[in-house]
Amino acid sequence: MEHAHHPTALLPGDVRIPLLGFGTWQATGETAFKAVLAALDAGYRHIDTATMYGNEEEVGRAVRESGLRREDVFLTTKLPPERVGQERRTIEESLRALGVDHVDLWLVHWPPSEPGALIPVWREMLAARDEGLARAVGVSNFSTGQIDELIQATEENPAVNQIKWSPFLYDRQRHIEHRDRGVVLEGYSPFKTSDLSDPVLVRIAAAHDVSPAQVVLRWHLDHEIVAIPKSVTPERIRANADVFGFSLTAEEMRDIDALGNT
């Protein structure tokens, strides 16, 4: 299976993030190891984990056992909000657990709740990037206003903002705000927040001879939004990776976008 055609988005520092990633939230232990191994086998080249998920060791082991070169797998992990002030120690622990000398993307998992913590945390993220511990740094679950605070204070925009996203949560304005700031939008829970039996998705899926879930993922890719579906079922993992053989028409995209206003 050839993976050169997998679409990517460009992050600062000339880092390319594959638009299709594999989410590992709620997968732990041997289940996580097997799921990541199956994902890499199915063609995923982007694995998303977090300190909070407690599965970095299993993710790292799967990457090693996959036989793929380190530079062919894009690895993301995240700083939990309760680790504010311990950023350096946290990234070092993550790298040790993953068994790598750097991650490709490190995110602030949630905006810190402590007043005044936003900018110091971001400066620590940037410092880790500048030291080569992460190739790119970004945020997760941030509002546009919080992103603007970071940019105003440091003149460094987050490479990515990972937020809950799906056709049913589509917010054109929010999408544009990210694009205008040069922040790649990355969506999580694409299926959990979708009604896969919706007639619009069912009709478009039938037109392309694919499943509604595959339509949801393709919609992300055609919008140049990163999608990180998660599953621990090998056949579902494979089906979710099989979204490169078709693309949606402009009209189909508009019909799916409109689900966000229903």
Side-chain angles (χ1 to χ4, degrees):
M1 194 173 168
E2 178 53 56
H3 304 293
H5 63 282
H6 280 206
T8 57
L10 188 60
L11 306 181
D14 214 22
V15 176
R16 290 207 161 269
I17 181 170
L19 290 183
L20 181 68
F22 183 72
T24 64
W25 182 53
Q26 289 180 324
T28 52
E30 199 61 19
T31 309
F33 167 70
K34 285 186 170 143
V36 173
L37 204 52
L40 293 167
D41 186 55
Y44 289 89
R45 292 296 177 265
H46 167 187
I47 308 292
D48 180 271
T49 181
T51 295
M52 204 182 263
Y53 301 167
N55 61 17
E56 288 172 318
E57 265 175 53
E58 288 77 11
V59 168
R61 183 159 63 96
V63 171
R64 281 191 300 283
E65 295 204 10
S66 72
L68 293 164
R69 297 180 309 173
R70 167 66 189 95
E71 60 266 32
D72 291 337
V73 181
F74 189 99
L75 281 177
T76 300
T77 192
K78 310 182 194 83
L79 173 88
E82 69 273 11
R83 292 290 190 94
V84 167
Q86 305 165 56
E87 295 84 359
R88 179 67 193 241
R89 204 181 94 206
T90 305
I91 186 71
E92 286 175 349
E93 283 170 8
S94 283
L95 296 177
R96 254 198 312 279
L98 287 161
V100 296
D101 63 4
H102 69 276
V103 288
D104 298 283
L105 181 62
W106 191 33
L107 305 178
V108 183
H109 205 150
W110 291 90
S113 49
E114 296 85 347
L118 209 58
I119 308 304
V121 167
W122 184 233
R123 290 195 193 281
E124 287 297 325
M125 304 292 285
L126 293 169
R129 180 201 65 188
D130 293 344
E131 285 176 55
L133 304 177
R135 292 171 67 217
V137 287
V139 296
S140 181
N141 302 299
F142 273 54
S143 67
T144 303
Q146 289 166 325
I147 289 172
D148 283 342
E149 276 185 64
L150 303 184
I151 297 171
Q152 276 153 13
T154 63
E155 293 184 356
E156 294 257 21
N157 54 309
V160 164
N161 185 23
Q162 187 184 114
I163 55 178
K164 198 178 276 188
W165 196 259
S166 76
F168 296 84
L169 300 175
Y170 184 65
D171 178 341
R172 185 164 173 272
Q173 187 53 40
R174 198 159 186 208
H175 188 194
I176 290 168
E177 286 166 0
H178 283 77
R179 227 181 10 228
D180 287 349
R181 286 157 181 77
V183 178
V184 170
L185 201 156
E186 181 171 13
Y188 67 82
S189 298
F191 305 139
K192 202 179 246 176
T193 58
S194 287
D195 172 8
L196 295 175
S197 64
D198 185 280
V200 172
L201 295 179
V202 170
R203 166 174 62 80
I204 293 171
H208 293 279
D209 198 20
V210 295
S211 70
Q214 287 167 315
V215 169
V216 166
L217 294 178
R218 187 69 231 188
W219 170 83
H220 282 74
L221 306 187
D222 286 344
H223 265 314
E224 296 185 345
I225 290 170
V226 180
I228 43 170
K230 56 179 203 291
S231 174
V232 294
T233 325
E235 76 211 47
R236 184 119 3 107
I237 289 172
R238 279 195 297 275
N240 290 345
D242 187 16
V243 290
F244 301 106
F246 72 104
S247 59
L248 303 169
T249 66
E251 190 183 359
E252 287 169 338
M253 290 293 285
R254 280 196 298 275
D255 289 349
I256 298 171
D257 290 353
L259 295 171
N261 303 321
T262 48

